[in-house]
Amino acid sequence: MFKKDFPYFSNSDITYLDNGATTQKPKVVIDSQIDYYTKYCANTHRSNFGDANKATREFENARKILKEFINASKNEEIIFTKGVTESINFIASSFAVDFETVIISSLEHHSNVVPWHMQGRTIGKGLEVVKCDDRLNFDMEHFEELLKANPKAFVSITHISNAFGEIHDIKAITKLAHSYGAVVLVDGAQSLAHLKVDMQEFDCDFFAMSGHKTFAPTGVGAIYVKEQYLNELKPYQTGGATIHEVDFYGSTLLDSPYKFEAGTQNIAGVIGFGKAIEYLSHVGYANIETIENDVYKYLRNELEKLDGIIFYNDIDNCVGSLSFNFEGIVHDDIGILIDKMKIALRVGHHCAQPIMKQLGIKGTIRVSIAFYNNYKDVDNLINALKRALNMLRD
Ligand SMILES: Cc1ncc(COP(=O)(O)O)c(C=O)c1O
């Protein structure tokens, strides 16, 4: 029903099921890029002529749209970045670096693992990992033990696993963490495309967002920083547009968010991010959740009928991504064959090697849906999988 809003689908006969990697872009977002580059291309927050002022207005309007969408308290709490990877690296290196212990979950993407390793943290040495059970559910009791043993830790946890679609109960995690004096960052890379997020309800201290996984252009994202941390948070890069006064004896920085947005920003990307969020609001989470729940359940039911399928978690607590394997079949072989049948999905470790290792597998076949996917996409996938399995089992 919504595919008509996305030019990709009228130009391509691919069944696109790789939304966990990146989403397609609606026409309004694509048009906003052409508009900026053809009608008012100018830098922001610098020059004072008409187009420059318009670019600044549109850029700041995107901040306001995002602030309202996630129910942050102030525009200043939204800082634009390149994406979730940059958002986490920013907070890791400028704020969390001084914390004795960082606690992550077993289901983290490499973007929320490698930055901690780069600080010399490994398990038991400044890094702790919350266990999950054999159906990949977050172990709250173990989390509490870790918090007790490491008061005032920095907790960095994904909201939704990109590899398995598992949803973490961020409200409960944050509440518990705060009761032990911990500070909480949430990796929201997979969140906005599927579920309503509310900063007042989550009460997390940092929330990392990805534009390209939310129907916006690539190379743009944001980090929400709770107001109380804006002053103590240090910029991790500085330069043009971050300063109030500079001479050869020193520099004074601007207030948030500008002191954190050094250099020329991804202006078109930010404007596009704002348009994508406006578009999402127009579609509405009521529609998104109804469609996705329906398609996800249908997908799971149809997959279950295939011989030898292995799932790693339960559907009840999942959204977006669904991962599986087939007994005796290498996931890469399925990937190669169904690509020829015009199905786009991802096979591999999905940048989540630690959990793959824990499960004793090299990777999975991952289908990741968005609200524009439908039963027909699932039928195309199932037919392709059946053909691929027949070829591989012959
Ligand atoms: C859970 C999760 N975290 C972080 C990232 C990295 O996001 P970005 O591409 O915006 O840097 C991804 C991308 O796949 C992800 O799924």
Side-chain angles (χ1 to χ4, degrees), residues 371-386:
F371 66 90
Y372 40 61
N373 288 119
N374 52 32
Y375 283 12
K376 172 87 172 38
D377 295 330
V378 176
D379 291 342
N380 292 347
L381 168 75
I382 299 293
N383 287 335
L385 284 172
K386 280 183 184 160

Side-chain angles (χ1 to χ4, degrees), residues 113-133:
V113 179
V114 185
W116 308 117
H117 289 164
M118 291 300 113
Q119 295 182 357
R121 300 175 191 271
T122 53
I123 206 149
K125 292 186 183 144
L127 183 69
E128 298 294 344
V129 182
V130 184
K131 285 190 237 161
C132 58
D133 67 18

Side-chain angles (χ1 to χ4, degrees), residues 20 83-85 109 111 158 160 162 187 189-190 210 212-213:
V84 164
T85 304
H109 184 279
S111 292
T158 194
I160 300 166
N162 64 308
D187 172 349
Q190 300 288 337
S210 174
H212 75 98
K213 294 188 199 285

Side-chain angles (χ1 to χ4, degrees), residues 175-227:
K175 196 166 172 217
L176 190 61
H178 283 167
S179 73
Y180 285 93
V183 175
V184 181
L185 179 147
V186 177
D187 172 349
Q190 300 288 337
S191 307
L192 303 191
H194 307 289
L195 296 178
K196 169 106 194 91
V197 305
D198 183 320
M199 292 307 105
Q200 308 311 314
E201 198 188 309
F202 277 9
D203 196 31
C204 54
D205 306 295
F206 302 93
F207 188 85
M209 292 165 273
S210 174
H212 75 98
K213 294 188 199 285
T214 317
F215 316 103
T218 52
V220 66
I223 178 90
Y224 155 83
V225 178
K226 197 187 258 175
E227 191 185 6

Side-chain angles (χ1 to χ4, degrees), residues 72 86 143 176 195 200 226 232-233 246 255 266 313 390:
E86 187 177 46
F143 183 43
L176 190 61
L195 296 178
Q200 308 311 314
K226 197 187 258 175
E232 62 182 286
L233 179 63
V246 184
D255 287 336
N266 179 355
N313 54 343
N390 280 341

